[in-house]
Amino acid sequence: IDWKTLSEISGVDGTGTANYLSKWTDTDTIGNSSIFDNGTNVGIGTASPNYKLELSFAAGNHTTGMAITNTQAGGYGNALNFVSKRSDDSSLNIAARIRTEGASSWNTDASTSSNLKFETVSADTVATRMTIFHDGNVGIGTASPATNLHVEGNTSGTHTTLRLKNLNTTAGIGAQIQLYDHDSFFYQTIVNGDLRFYNGAEIMILKADGKVGIGTTSPSADLEVSTTSGGELLVTRSGNSGVTLQQVNGGAATSGS
């Protein structure tokens, strides 16, 4: 190869900076592009990339960035594949994937909807683990979530489980589920093995030892109901038969109806 300098090429001029890829800045001038390559990392919009490929820009619009475009009509979507190399045969296999797919025909505004899928590989088979549906519903273990969060499992002998765990050791702090409607809420918390139910204030507790308290946080019996006024325990049964309450002490029972 017989290399020439710009000064030796008639009608072409320009300058450049080390590690920047060149580009034609006009019909006869060569200058820097926005791509920087230091031999290890590549930067687009940055001269100090910290990763194999780093895209850097400043914009007040949070939707500005990188696009993966599929020009096939019909909403077929795109995929971002994460690939790893096997140690037995050196083959390159998909380890995980994030992809989109059209949820409908994409031939009108009303039919332009899409789903976002998160996939992992198990035993060399790629499968969808989580789906964000076009209506905002999230499915784990199901590709068609029917509610805001829809979890399904299909493992023999194993419960489908939702686990909440708080690793903080502060006394009185545990895991909590909150249930809200438009103007009120109900929630339950697990603290030190106790399951507590709240509706603004604590209304019931299921202790770790099995005791249940209503109106008290420290039941001394299997079931203790406490109130500051007008305490009642109502047990009803349909039909003509009465209701019997039994107290058993050492095998001897006393009853009341």
Side-chain angles (χ1 to χ4, degrees):
I1 300 175
D2 184 15
W3 293 101
K4 302 288 186 180
T5 64
L6 286 180
S7 61
E8 296 177 286
I9 303 175
S10 177
V12 177
D13 60 11
T15 59
T17 304
N19 293 333
Y20 275 95
L21 272 66
S22 324
K23 72 172 184 178
W24 292 100
T25 59
D26 58 33
T27 57
D28 60 0
T29 305
I30 294 178
N32 291 339
S33 71
S34 60
I35 302 174
F36 180 90
D37 182 358
N38 61 15
T40 302
N41 298 330
V42 175
I44 301 176
T46 176
S48 55
N50 296 307
Y51 307 95
K52 290 298 182 182
L53 175 61
E54 181 173 345
L55 175 64
S56 178
F57 60 92
N61 183 351
H62 300 297
T63 61
T64 300
M66 184 176 65
I68 303 175
T69 303
N70 185 345
T71 58
Q72 174 65 45
Y76 286 94
N78 298 284
L80 177 61
N81 295 302
F82 300 87
V83 179
S84 295
K85 187 176 183 178
R86 288 179 53 154
S87 60
D88 56 344
D89 58 9
S90 297
S91 62
L92 297 175
N93 291 41
I94 293 176
R97 178 166 57 200
I98 302 173
R99 66 182 178 91
T100 62
E101 64 176 19
S104 50
S105 60
W106 278 60
N107 56 15
T108 64
D109 287 348
S111 67
T112 303
S113 303
S114 65
N115 304 326
L116 180 62
K117 295 182 175 290
F118 296 82
E119 301 176 341
T120 61
V121 65
S122 179
D124 203 32
T125 301
V126 179
T128 300
R129 308 302 178 187
M130 184 173 74
T131 299
I132 301 179
F133 224 42
H134 62 92
D135 59 4
N137 289 348
V138 176
I140 299 176
T142 175
S144 303
T147 56
N148 298 111
L149 176 60
H150 183 164
V151 180
E152 289 188 7
N154 187 25
T155 303
S156 177
T158 302
H159 297 293
T160 299
T161 303
L162 179 64
R163 175 180 291 185
L164 302 178
K165 185 175 182 178
N166 188 342
L167 299 177
N168 191 294
T169 58
T170 303
I173 301 298
Q176 187 175 98
I177 297 176
Q178 296 190 359
L179 308 174
Y180 278 77
D181 63 14
H182 67 284
D183 61 0
S184 61
F185 67 94
F186 172 87
Y187 61 94
Q188 58 191 56
T189 303
I190 297 177
V191 178
N192 299 326
D194 300 336
L195 180 59
R196 299 170 180 262
F197 298 84
Y198 297 82
N199 186 7
E202 185 168 332
I203 56 176
M204 185 173 74
I205 186 172
L206 173 59
K207 298 286 289 183
D209 61 5
K211 293 183 174 65
V212 177
I214 300 176
T216 176
T217 60
S218 54
S220 57
D222 292 331
L223 173 62
E224 180 176 343
V225 180
S226 176
T227 181
T228 57
S229 62
E232 292 182 348
L233 177 63
L234 176 64
V235 181
T236 64
R237 177 177 176 177
S238 61
N240 296 324
S241 300
V243 175
T244 301
L245 299 179
Q246 288 190 335
Q247 178 181 349
V248 179
N249 291 313
T254 58
S255 301
S257 299

